Structures are given as structure tokens and as C-alpha cells.
Amino acid sequence: MRPIKNHILSLLAFAMLCLGSFESCRHKKKTPSLSGEEPVAVEDFIDFFPPAKLAYTFNDSILNKKEKDSLLISLKIFNQFVPDSFMIKNFGKGSKPRIYPLGKTKVPDGETYLFVKAIYADKRVAFILAFDKKDHYIAGMTAYRPDQLSTTTQSTQIDRRFTITKSIWKKNADASMNEGKDVYILNADAKEFLLIMTDALDDRLTELINPIDTLPRKNKVSADYSAGKMNLVSVRDGRRSDRVSFFIHFEKNNGACTGELKGEAIIRSNTVAEYREEGGPCVLRLIFSPSTVTLKEEEGCGSHRGLRCVFDGSYPKKKAVKPKPKK
């Protein structure tokens, strides 16, 4: 009888184990897909982000890494928890960027920070989003966006104190390097990331290098327009007759705020050329008169300038210097 009894007890134990495993599997939470159209809970949205160890650095390798399609977050799901104006501001109306989770970190008994990568056309941008203890959205900021300039190198780091430092290094014509920094912290009460310190990049820059200086200047508006040594609007002929190439560098507020932009603008009339950033929100008008060019920032060009200044301004036309005749 004892062997039969032991066998029965073993079967009962096995049955209980199977039942427990079944109940565990039955109640195990299924991870929802974030690439579709169906709404998800904010807890699922935040859980979708992998834990990130601080200090965390944003750079080109992060943006250029190929992500798995299974990690895609649809714009509709993203806009459930982040205002749709956030992506519109960074990529323009009608844009549908591909969004991927990079990581998350949490302040003990406080806010949660999410790290996001978004790709649209040839634009790649990394963002930091902040959520409060109840998982309500507080604010978001651009963490890293390449400037396409060959003379600069950038990186952004969020450290263990949740301080965000944007760093930029610029190589000068004499091979020396300048470094600039902007430091931010989250101001939850004001619902924004607050700039608390700036170390200007070009404190030691004393000479501008015009990257389009050698391009043709047959168009009647092709010229250099300047207002001081460090404020230049250079206009040259474009690749086609209905376009002009331009390079802009300005410094305002005694150098506390700088901006730089290079591109090609479409000629809209005899006196107006318009630049529209492909895949981005920046729209800039160049309005010409016989003696000046006036810049008017129609839509946000914030990724090309400091926070507390814009491209607006007028610049007098410089008289072209005729080359000296060869002897």
C-alpha cells in the first residue's frame, strides 16, 4: 500500500505544481505593442523603455545605431502621453517620425526620465522627457541634434544628479579648440527644463571663416552683408538659377547668444528668398534691398541658435573687393 500511497501523493504534488504554473501564466501581464493605433496605459508606455545607467551620454553613435522594428513606438501612441506640439516643433507639421525608446531612469521617490530617439527623413534627434510620480508628463527637451558642421563635435550627458550638460567643441583655423557648454535642470513646478549655466563656445573666437566664400556671386543679391566682425550674412549663387546659397553667423548680447546656419534658399521674388529646413521646422526669410539684407525667422530655428535670441536683424551690404591686377 505504501508505494501506491506515495505514487498518489506524487501525482497530487505534480498536479498542484501544474495548476500553480497555469495560474501564473494566466495572470502574467502581456506586453502590449506600442507600434499600433490602439491606446495603451501610461504604465505600459514607461515600462517599454529599458533601464539606463547614469551617467548616460547622447552622441552620434546613439543616433546612428539601427533599431529593431519591434521597438517602434507609433506617433499616435507617443502623442497619448506627450503633446503633439512637441514633435511638430521639432520636425514640422505633417511629419511622422519613427520613434524608438533609448532608456529610462528614475529619481528616488520622484520623477522618471525617458530617453527617446526620433527619425524623420534625414533628421535624427534624441529627446529627454520627464514624468512626475503619478506618470503625468511634465516637460521635454532636445538632448542631441547634430548641426551638420564639419568643424564641431557635440555630446550631451545626464549625470547622477540629473543635471543635463550639452557640450560642443569647435576646431578653429589654427587647429586650436574652443569648448562651450549649456547646463540644464528640470524645473517641475514651471514644467520646463531650465538653463542654469552657459559657457559660450566662441569666447576666444576672433575671426570668422566663411565656408561659401569661393562660390560664384553673379546674382545681383550675391554679396557679403555684415554688422561687425562677428556678424555675417554671406549670399552666393545657388545650384540653380531660382536659388541662392547662404551662410549666416551672428552674435548678440555681447556674445551671450550665437547662431549659425548654412543652406540654400528659394528665390520667391526679386527681393525675397526663403529657406525651409528639410524635415525640420526652421523657416527663414532673406529680404533684400539695394543696400541691406533683413533676416526674418518665420518658424522656429532654435536648433541653430541660442535660446534667448533669434535670427531677425538687418545687415548692411559690403562693397565687393576687386582682386588686384596681376603684374
Side-chain angles (χ1 to χ4, degrees):
M1 292 295 293
R2 185 177 294 276
I4 295 176
K5 183 178 179 181
N6 289 340
H7 181 66
I8 293 173
L9 289 174
S10 298
L11 288 175
L12 285 173
F14 179 73
M16 293 296 292
L17 179 62
C18 290
L19 182 61
S21 298
F22 173 77
E23 287 296 311
S24 176
C25 292
R26 189 166 69 90
H27 292 290
K28 187 176 181 180
K29 188 177 181 181
K30 183 181 178 182
T31 302
S33 171
L34 269 63
S35 61
E37 300 291 308
E38 293 297 321
V40 301
V42 65
E43 297 86 0
D44 294 326
F45 176 73
I46 292 175
D47 287 345
F48 196 67
F49 287 72
K53 184 178 180 181
L54 298 182
Y56 187 90
T57 301
F58 301 86
N59 51 32
D60 285 338
S61 63
I62 291 288
L63 288 186
N64 293 330
K65 180 183 175 183
K66 188 175 181 180
E67 304 293 347
K68 297 178 181 178
D69 290 340
S70 60
L71 297 177
L72 182 68
I73 300 173
S74 72
L75 183 62
K76 185 170 184 178
I77 295 296
F78 185 84
N79 287 343
Q80 264 192 255
F81 312 107
V82 181
D84 57 5
S85 59
F86 184 81
M87 283 300 182
I88 291 173
K89 179 181 177 182
N90 284 279
F91 291 106
K93 293 180 180 178
S95 61
K96 293 183 178 180
R98 303 195 309 277
I99 303 167
Y100 298 95
L102 293 175
K104 69 181 173 190
T105 187
K106 184 175 176 61
V107 180
D109 197 32
E111 298 82 13
T112 298
Y113 292 79
L114 303 182
F115 310 148
V116 180
K117 176 166 73 175
I119 303 170
Y120 182 69
D122 61 344
K123 305 295 181 183
R124 294 171 176 260
V125 188
F127 303 108
I128 298 175
L129 311 175
F131 288 75
D132 64 19
K133 290 189 289 186
K134 295 183 178 180
D135 293 338
H136 296 147
Y137 174 77
I138 301 173
M141 67 173 286
T142 299
Y144 186 80
R145 182 171 188 161
D147 60 13
Q148 308 300 323
L149 298 176
S150 59
T151 56
T152 61
T153 304
Q154 301 179 71
S155 74
T156 299
Q157 184 180 88
I158 177 169
D159 62 25
R160 294 180 180 179
R161 296 174 297 173
F162 302 94
T163 300
I164 301 162
T165 302
K166 291 186 175 183
S167 300
I168 182 169
W169 297 266
K170 185 171 185 178
K171 186 176 182 180
N172 301 316
D174 61 359
S176 64
M177 298 290 290
N178 288 355
E179 181 180 0
K181 290 183 179 179
D182 286 335
V183 182
Y184 300 81
I185 60 170
L186 176 66
N187 186 331
D189 293 332
K191 296 187 179 299
E192 66 174 350
F193 285 92
L194 184 66
L195 179 67
I196 60 171
M197 189 190 80
T198 296
D199 184 4
L201 170 66
D202 289 328
D203 280 346
R204 297 182 297 278
L205 189 62
T206 58
E207 182 180 0
L208 269 180
I209 298 173
N210 183 354
I212 66 169
D213 193 33
T214 58
L215 295 181
R217 48 196 300 177
K218 296 178 182 179
N219 193 299
K220 68 176 183 179
V221 300
S222 294
D224 287 337
Y225 305 79
S226 66
K229 191 174 181 180
M230 304 306 295
N231 295 277
L232 172 68
V233 179
S234 182
V235 180
R236 298 291 186 267
D237 299 351
R239 293 172 296 172
R240 291 159 43 180
S241 59
D242 64 340
R243 304 185 181 203
V244 291
S245 298
F246 67 88
F247 169 73
I248 302 169
H249 179 95
F250 71 80
E251 295 189 3
K252 296 182 179 182
N253 305 327
N254 295 319
C257 192
T258 64
E260 191 168 285
L261 179 60
K262 182 167 77 78
E264 193 171 59
I266 297 175
I267 297 173
R268 299 298 187 188
S269 71
N270 291 334
T271 59
V272 176
E274 184 181 76
Y275 167 76
R276 287 184 174 269
E277 184 178 22
E278 184 179 353
C282 181
V283 178
L284 183 70
R285 283 196 163 212
L286 295 84
I287 305 169
F288 298 96
S289 75
S291 59
T292 62
V293 62
T294 299
L295 304 181
K296 187 174 181 182
E297 188 175 324
E298 299 286 350
E299 293 188 33
C301 301
S303 62
H304 304 284
R305 56 165 172 76
L307 293 174
R308 290 174 171 78
C309 56
V310 293
F311 278 91
D312 293 4
S314 295
Y315 299 80
K317 187 176 185 178
K318 288 179 64 177
K319 187 177 180 181
V321 178
K322 294 182 179 180
K324 295 180 180 179
K326 295 181 179 179
K327 295 182 179 179

